């Protein structure tokens, strides 16, 4: 009997230590060479340096570890505890995921006006996710083409899409082909697509500029890339771990000012690499929002109207 008690006490020790420090496996839905990963890496280093004895992040890798469109499900099910991804990649869990592209106010303001809490209410209920930090913000999407157009009409063109652009490009008459980012280059190279949607920043990451001839202006929506966590993992954290994670989440968001610089640099670099711009008027952008909110309202009567109120200027 005495022996057994001793054994239990010893066995309890590593358990107690583990409750102090927890490790989250994190995957990226974007390739490891992406600017988004480069932006996140120093954040993880700082997280781990400051989180000794509290919480650590173990970066597993990009889409080679978990395919882009399966990342959301993997976090929902707890296969990994965390991910860097965008809502368009996990609409299989809930249509609302893709509504984050429609935010017209920066994340700091979303935290003040209740949008952030609303997102978390939906993310918790519908996808077993905790929405932790938005790390790409105030960055428009654009349509990129290999062929010239002289009006906003994509009839006869095959365009690479994700849920972000689907309804807008379809409304302009495009034939749509959905691919993860990792397949865009090959699709362009083989002529499978005549263009693609992507933010203003990042087309150089996977050499798409080599195959791109035109960018259509203005941009539309607001590219969202965020850190999400499995909700069970979140609930199990001690108060100290939770406040540490929240502090790090805010620190990551505080760096969102860099996107303005990245966006300006990439705009210049696109021009330097010979990409011409095709410019349409503001009605092009207005149509992008109208089409997206109409689709959102259809997909979620429950949440789209309130999200629209909280996300709009
Ligand atoms: O893959 C995409 O075009 C996409 O949906 C996206 C979303 C946010 C940032 C970058 C790309």
């Amino acid at each position: 009997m005495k022996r057994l008690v001793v054994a239990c006490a010893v066995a309890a020790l590593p358990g107690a230590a583990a409750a102090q420090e927890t490790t989250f496996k994190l995957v990226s839905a974007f390739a490891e060479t992406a600017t988004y990963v480069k932006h996140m890496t120093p954040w993880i280093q700082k997280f781990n340096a400051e989180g000794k004895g509290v919480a650590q992040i173990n970066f597993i890798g990009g889409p080679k570890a978990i395919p882009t469109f399966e990342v959301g499900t993997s976090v929902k099910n707890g296969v990994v505890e965390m991910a860097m991804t965008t809502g368009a990649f996990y609409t299989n869990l809930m249509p609302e995921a893709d509504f984050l592209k429609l935010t017209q106010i920066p994340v700091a303001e979303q935290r003040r006006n209740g949008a952030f809490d609303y997102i978390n209410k939906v993310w918790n209920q519908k996808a077993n996710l905790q929405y932790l930090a938005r790390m790409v913000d105030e960055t428009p999407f654009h349509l990129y083409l290999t062929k010239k157009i002289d009006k906003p009409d994509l009839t006869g063109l095959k365009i690479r899409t994700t849920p972000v652009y689907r309804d807008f490009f379809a409304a302009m008459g495009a034939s749509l082909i959905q691919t993860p980012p990792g397949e865009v280059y090959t699709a362009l190279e083989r002529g499978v697509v005549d263009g693609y949607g992507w933010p203003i920043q990042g087309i150089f990451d996977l050499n798409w500029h080599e195959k791109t001839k035109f960018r259509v202006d203005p941009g539309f929506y607001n590219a969202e890339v965020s850190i999400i966590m499995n909700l069970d993992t979140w609930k199990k954290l001690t108060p100290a771990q939770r406040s540490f994670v929240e502090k790090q989440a805010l620190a990551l968001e505080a760096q969102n000012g860099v996107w303005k610089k990245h966006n300006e640099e990439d705009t210049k670099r696109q021009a330097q690499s010979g990409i011409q711009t095709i410019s349409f008027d503001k009605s092009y952008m207005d149509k992008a929002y109208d089409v997206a909110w109409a689709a959102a309202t259809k997909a979620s009567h429950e949440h789209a109207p309130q999200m629209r109120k909280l996300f709009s200027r």
Side-chain angles (χ1 to χ4, degrees):
M1 189 61 207
K2 203 176 173 191
R3 241 180 166 176
L4 189 66
V5 169
V6 170
C8 285
V10 170
L13 273 174
Q20 296 304 310
E21 183 177 287
T22 183
T23 299
F24 311 120
K25 294 186 290 299
L26 183 150
V27 288
S28 164
F30 296 92
E32 282 156 48
T33 51
T35 310
Y36 304 144
V37 176
K38 290 190 194 129
H39 182 77
M40 178 181 66
T41 304
W43 175 72
I44 293 179
Q45 283 163 358
K46 194 163 168 283
F47 187 109
N48 289 344
E50 293 174 10
K52 290 207 168 67
V54 183
Q56 298 285 294
I57 292 174
N58 175 13
F59 179 43
I60 301 291
K64 284 195 195 98
I66 297 179
T68 298
F69 287 99
E70 291 168 32
V71 166
T73 304
S74 300
V75 181
K76 179 187 182 182
N77 297 341
V79 171
V80 290
E81 289 80 19
M82 289 173 87
M84 186 250 281
T85 185
T86 182
F89 296 160
Y90 57 96
T91 53
N92 60 313
L93 302 183
M94 53 181 168
E96 293 85 356
D98 187 42
F99 301 177
L100 300 179
K101 73 187 180 197
L102 297 170
T103 51
Q104 292 176 317
I105 53 169
V107 66
E109 212 172 317
Q110 291 170 42
R111 285 185 183 268
R112 288 195 294 267
N113 82 344
F116 200 90
D117 288 340
Y118 195 93
I119 292 165
N120 257 317
K121 187 183 80 170
V122 179
W123 264 229
N124 285 184
Q125 278 173 7
K126 297 189 86 164
N128 197 42
L129 295 176
Q130 184 72 12
Y131 182 69
L132 286 184
R134 178 161 180 158
M135 56 160 254
V136 177
D137 206 357
E138 299 183 276
T139 297
F141 291 101
H142 285 263
L143 167 63
Y144 298 88
L145 294 168
T146 60
K147 293 174 181 159
K148 194 163 190 202
I149 55 170
D150 45 29
K151 54 181 191 308
D153 183 354
L154 301 176
T155 308
L157 295 180
K158 299 180 298 274
I159 308 290
R160 175 268 175 182
T161 194
T162 68
V164 166
Y165 330 92
R166 188 183 294 143
D167 299 296
F168 183 38
F169 292 172
M172 289 191 281
S175 301
L176 299 174
I177 297 164
Q178 176 161 306
T179 81
E183 287 168 25
V184 174
Y185 188 89
T186 310
L188 287 165
E189 191 174 37
R190 296 189 182 158
V192 173
V193 296
D194 307 305
Y196 58 93
W198 194 258
I200 188 65
Q201 187 283 325
I203 72 160
F204 298 93
D205 288 351
L206 296 168
N207 296 320
W208 303 342
H209 64 288
E210 291 173 4
K211 306 285 169 197
T212 305
K213 297 214 167 68
F214 304 96
R215 183 187 72 242
V216 177
D217 287 354
F220 52 89
Y221 310 149
N222 182 3
E224 167 269 330
V225 177
S226 301
I227 306 287
I228 53 173
M229 181 180 269
N230 172 276
L231 182 59
D232 307 302
T233 302
W234 174 251
K235 284 182 175 161
K236 275 190 221 134
L237 298 181
T238 64
Q241 287 169 334
R242 223 185 251 202
S243 70
F244 175 74
V245 170
E246 271 175 338
K247 187 181 115 193
Q248 297 299 327
L250 287 169
L252 183 59
E253 288 182 356
Q255 291 175 39
N256 284 352
V258 303
W259 297 111
K260 190 172 185 290
K261 195 173 96 228
H262 283 313
N263 296 346
E264 283 166 6
E265 280 167 6
D266 265 34
T267 306
K268 270 196 212 122
R269 204 172 154 201
Q270 286 183 20
Q272 280 159 6
S273 65
I275 296 172
Q276 296 172 50
T277 55
I278 299 171
S279 295
F280 296 136
D281 61 23
K282 189 180 163 287
S283 66
Y284 169 84
M285 193 175 73
D286 291 344
K287 184 177 172 172
Y289 279 98
D290 290 347
V291 168
W293 276 121
T297 308
K298 210 170 145 201
S300 176
H301 293 291
E302 202 189 346
H303 298 298
Q306 186 59 17
M307 287 171 108
R308 184 171 196 171
K309 253 187 233 156
L310 291 167
F311 292 178
S312 302
R313 254 190 223 295

